Amino acid sequence: MIAPHVHGAVRVWSLPTGPLQENAVLVAGADGQGVLIDPGDDADRILALVQGAGVTVRAILLTHAHFDHIGAVEAVRGALEVPVFLHPADLALYRNGATSAARWNLPFVQPADPEHDITQDQVFTAGDVTLRARELPGHAPGHVVLVGVGFVVAGDTLFQGSIGRTDLPGGNHPQLIAGIAQELLSLPDSTVVYPGHGGHTTVGAERRTNPFLR
């Protein structure tokens, strides 16, 4: 089983899933309560991680609704019996998941609609875990990042040495760059960034070396 990163009382696991190696992120406190973010594919592996970590998941949170971030939603939601949260500006993308996956000739189970919206500054709590949602569109219209103490789950906004692509429907490059500056580069340099693809990084490292942010 993969080892978690520890931020005080909070543990964070990042599990690459599916052919696009999308990172499903599990966040839990010392009390074992937590949330699951972006279950993209490989539902069995995600559920094995949850069980092996001894986490009681209270909700599924989606940073955005591209198909590679929502492919395991239906299976995981059913197994864990928890609600799904998504920003309403991404609902059209969410409902188009099967069509998008078909363009890549990838199997996909279209999930039923989310139970709840995510709104700006909404706070999610599960035991020791507290995450605040911040809107950061540009890669997707309803993209949010989820800010914890000492870390942020950034979805497809900021990567190690790169940023999210903006050539997909609903993408907007200036909006993404402005959002990264406002919502991510405003965090302390030591803040660990857990992106939707690839390894984790820090705000400070990306501020200094990311060629897209110069």
Side-chain angles (χ1 to χ4, degrees), residues 39 43 60 70-82 84 94 109-115:
I60 294 170
I70 65 170
V73 163
E74 201 59 25
V76 171
R77 160 204 260 162
L80 299 178
E81 299 182 332
V82 294
V84 175
Y94 183 96
V109 176
Q110 180 63 44
D113 280 2
E115 282 81 5

Side-chain angles (χ1 to χ4, degrees), residues 162-184:
S162 189
I163 60 171
R165 58 189 294 182
T166 55
D167 59 339
L168 300 169
N172 183 315
H173 185 80
Q175 189 179 46
L176 177 61
I177 294 294
I180 289 171
Q182 180 175 325
E183 302 298 352
L184 297 180

Side-chain angles (χ1 to χ4, degrees), residues 138-211:
H139 173 72
H143 201 301
V144 300
V145 297
L146 298 159
V147 183
V149 178
F151 69 95
V152 56
V153 181
D156 288 0
T157 58
L158 181 63
F159 302 115
Q160 194 174 49
S162 189
I163 60 171
R165 58 189 294 182
T166 55
D167 59 339
L168 300 169
N172 183 315
H173 185 80
Q175 189 179 46
L176 177 61
I177 294 294
I180 289 171
Q182 180 175 325
E183 302 298 352
L184 297 180
L185 298 185
S186 59
L187 298 171
D189 277 359
S190 59
T191 305
V192 178
V193 179
Y194 295 100
H197 302 267
H200 64 280
T201 183
T202 66
V203 167
E206 298 314 306
R207 188 199 312 280
R208 289 189 302 272
T209 66
N210 191 310

